[in-house]
Each structure stands twice: as structure tokens, then as C-alpha cells.
Amino acid sequence: MKISNTPNNSSTITGFILLGFSCPKEGQILLFVLFSGVYLLTLMGNSSIICAVYWDQRLHTPMYILLANFSFLEIWYVTSTVPNMLANFLSDNKVISFSWCFLQFYFFFSLGSTECLFLAIMAFDRYLAICRPLHYPTLMTGRLCTNLVISCWVLGFLWFLIPIIITSQMSFCGSRIIDHFLCDPGPLLVLTCQKAPVMELVFSTLSPLPLIITFLFIMGSYALVLRAVLKVPSAAGRRKAFSTCGSHLAVVSLFCGSVLVMYGSPTSEHEAGMQKIVTLFYSVVTPLLNPVIYSLRNKDMKKALKKFLRL
């Protein structure tokens, strides 16, 4: 990475400046307390699901194993942004080093891509369970489940590897102020010394692509599930089938809906304040709500959580 000073800069800046949320010092402290609580609740909620699945033998099935891995992913996803955001609330200069900025950039988007892939294989699991119930045990084996989980992690972390390496080698000029609470590609590319329309095109294509592909796959899977459920003669059977999919559909709607709003249209169409709010929703609020959604709508998970909390 090359750092270019301009006449407007009398001192050398060792990193980017993340403006975060502009408000008085008292407001910054209030936000620190609020997001500290949200972060701790997110860690506790997702960790509880992981422990409940681990300790309860009845939950050692592909559906819950995928859910435990998804909760593990959510812990790291929220950790890629919130700790630095909390440090910025108490910081006066709000500087993030160049290396940490690009590491955050890489892990945030890689974990986001991995989450899209996990949502897709969870939909695939529900499709097999409802549309192919007799063949489900032979199709969704432990080996296939493990291979799907590994594939999600590997593909998710390979997706943005080359673009982030190329971007990190660019030269940055000017104040290097990022009007965001994380290192986002849009504000970063604006700060390059020379405009990079090719990289802007690459990011505008790569960012929504995993989401669009997996979202179409999920919708296709649930279209087949809906067709199969409507053929079930009893109302109780239909309710049971819908209950197994309701939690996942709610999570898909929260995550995919907010990300599509953010990256489904050109960045220039969003004001900085709206970018922060939408990004905050899918990066912080959604990981907090996911454990609540899965535990409230799933009887087996509620029983396992009660059993774990009594230990």
C-alpha cells in the first residue's frame, strides 16, 4: 500500500479515520454502553445455541448441526466490526491502521459471503427433509453435512481474496476520512489517488453476487417446499412443515432484505447516514435476533436451551 501526502496534510496519518456516528461525547458513551450490551447478548445467544446442540443428543442432526455452525459464524461476523466500533466510541482520533482496515474489510465481507452460503445449504436441508422425507437419512448424511459446511467456509473466504489484495496495493491520497463505522469498499475506493472504475465494477459485481445467487436458490428451494406442503392432506401436517421453515425464512428475510437494499443498487444512491443504518442492521441487529428467532419458533431448541441453562 502506498501512502501519498497532500499539501493539505501537514502530518503523516498512519491509517484511515472512521467517523462512525457523529454525536457529542455523552452520546458516544451512551452508544458504547448500548452496543456493548448488544454485543454481549449476541455472544450469549449464539453461544447458547452452540452449547445446546452440543449437549443435547437429540439435536445431533444435520438441521441443528448447521444451525450451530451458523451461530458460530454469527459470533465471528459481529466480532469483525463491533469491537473496533466500541473502541472508536471512546477514542478521540478514531484512527484505524491500514492493515487492520483491510483485515476488517476482508473478514467482514468473507463472513458475509459465508453466511449467504450457509443460508442456502440450510434451505437445501429443509427441502430434502420435506420433499424427500424417506430418502433424507441416506441423502443428508453426516459426511455430506460436513462437506457442505467446509465448502461454505472455504468458498466464502476465497470470494473476496483477490479484490482485497489488489485494493490494498493501491495509493491513497487526501484526508483518508471514511464516513462509516467500518472499512467499506465504496468509501475506500473514493480515497484512491487515481479513480479505479474497473475495481469499482468488480466490487459492485462481487458484493451482491453471492447474495443474489443464494437468494434465488433459497427461493427455488422453498417454492418446491411450498408445493409439497400444499399436497399434505392434514392441516396439522402442513403446520408442522411450515414451522420447520418459518425460522429460517425469517432470518433469510432479515439478512438478505437489508443486504439487497445496501448492495443491490449503486452506492451513490445511498446517503452516508442510510448506509450506516442499513449496514448496522444486517451486521449487528440480525446476529442478535437470529438466536431469538430460532429458539422461539422451535420446540426442540427451546427444550434443549432450558436443559442447558439448568446445568
Side-chain angles (χ1 to χ4, degrees):
M1 179 190 308
K2 298 177 182 179
I3 308 170
S4 300
N5 291 323
T6 65
N8 295 329
N9 290 356
S10 57
S11 60
T12 302
I13 297 177
T14 58
F16 296 106
I17 299 174
L18 288 176
L19 291 183
F21 299 93
S22 300
C23 59
K25 189 65 178 179
E26 294 77 10
Q28 297 284 327
I29 295 174
L30 181 62
L31 288 175
F32 174 83
V33 174
L34 173 63
F35 283 105
S36 294
V38 169
Y39 182 55
L40 290 175
L41 287 173
T42 303
L43 296 183
M44 291 171 58
N46 286 285
S47 297
S48 297
I49 287 182
I50 295 171
C51 293
V53 172
Y54 178 80
W55 287 108
D56 197 325
Q57 295 290 330
R58 294 172 302 174
L59 301 186
H60 289 185
T61 62
M63 174 182 173
Y64 293 107
I65 291 172
L66 291 174
L67 177 57
N69 277 275
F70 186 73
S71 294
F72 178 74
L73 167 66
E74 291 286 63
I75 290 174
W76 287 106
Y77 187 51
V78 73
T79 301
S80 68
T81 57
V82 173
N84 185 75
M85 182 169 63
L86 293 176
N88 269 8
F89 286 139
L90 304 180
S91 173
D92 293 326
N93 54 31
K94 302 184 183 299
V95 173
I96 180 172
S97 67
F98 288 108
S99 57
W100 181 249
C101 180
F102 283 98
L103 277 174
Q104 183 191 60
F105 178 13
Y106 173 65
F107 278 100
F108 178 71
F109 279 88
S110 295
L111 289 165
S113 299
T114 305
E115 180 159 346
C116 292
L117 295 170
F118 261 104
L119 290 173
I121 64 172
M122 291 168 78
F124 176 65
D125 174 72
R126 293 300 82 207
Y127 159 75
L128 291 179
I130 294 174
C131 298
R132 307 287 296 276
L134 299 179
H135 302 284
Y136 179 76
T138 57
L139 291 173
M140 185 55 78
T141 60
R143 182 176 180 179
L144 176 60
C145 185
T146 301
N147 288 337
L148 288 173
V149 168
I150 294 174
S151 298
C152 285
W153 284 101
V154 172
L155 290 175
F157 274 80
L158 286 177
W159 190 258
F160 282 96
L161 186 58
I162 294 177
I164 194 65
I165 291 175
I166 295 174
T167 308
S168 65
Q169 301 304 311
M170 291 181 174
S171 299
F172 294 88
C173 300
S175 62
R176 292 187 288 280
I177 294 176
I178 298 176
D179 190 7
H180 214 308
F181 62 86
L182 57 82
C183 290
D184 192 77
L188 273 176
L189 292 174
V190 171
L191 301 178
T192 55
C193 296
Q194 295 180 343
K195 295 301 179 183
V198 175
M199 285 306 302
E200 291 180 8
L201 178 62
V202 168
F203 276 116
S204 63
T205 304
L206 285 180
S207 296
L209 198 56
L211 178 69
I212 293 172
I213 294 174
T214 53
F215 182 75
L216 291 175
F217 179 84
I218 291 169
M219 291 299 99
S221 298
Y222 276 112
L224 296 175
V225 167
L226 179 62
R227 188 177 67 176
V229 170
L230 291 177
K231 294 180 181 179
V232 176
S234 67
R238 289 194 295 270
R239 281 196 300 270
K240 183 178 180 180
F242 279 126
S243 67
T244 62
C245 303
S247 301
H248 183 253
L249 277 174
V251 172
V252 169
S253 300
L254 286 172
F255 181 77
C256 293
S258 55
V259 178
L260 279 172
V261 168
M262 186 66 197
Y263 296 104
S265 58
T267 308
S268 58
E269 292 185 6
H270 305 288
E271 295 182 356
M274 181 59 67
Q275 287 184 17
K276 295 176 189 178
I277 293 172
V278 177
T279 305
L280 192 67
F281 186 82
Y282 70 78
S283 64
V284 179
V285 178
T286 301
L288 171 68
L289 295 178
N290 287 351
V292 179
I293 294 171
Y294 278 112
S295 59
L296 287 179
R297 295 185 59 88
N298 191 297
K299 293 181 180 179
D300 292 334
M301 180 55 67
K302 282 193 286 188
K303 291 178 182 177
L305 285 171
K306 289 179 181 178
K307 181 179 178 181
F308 168 71
L309 293 173
R310 292 195 194 103
L311 293 177

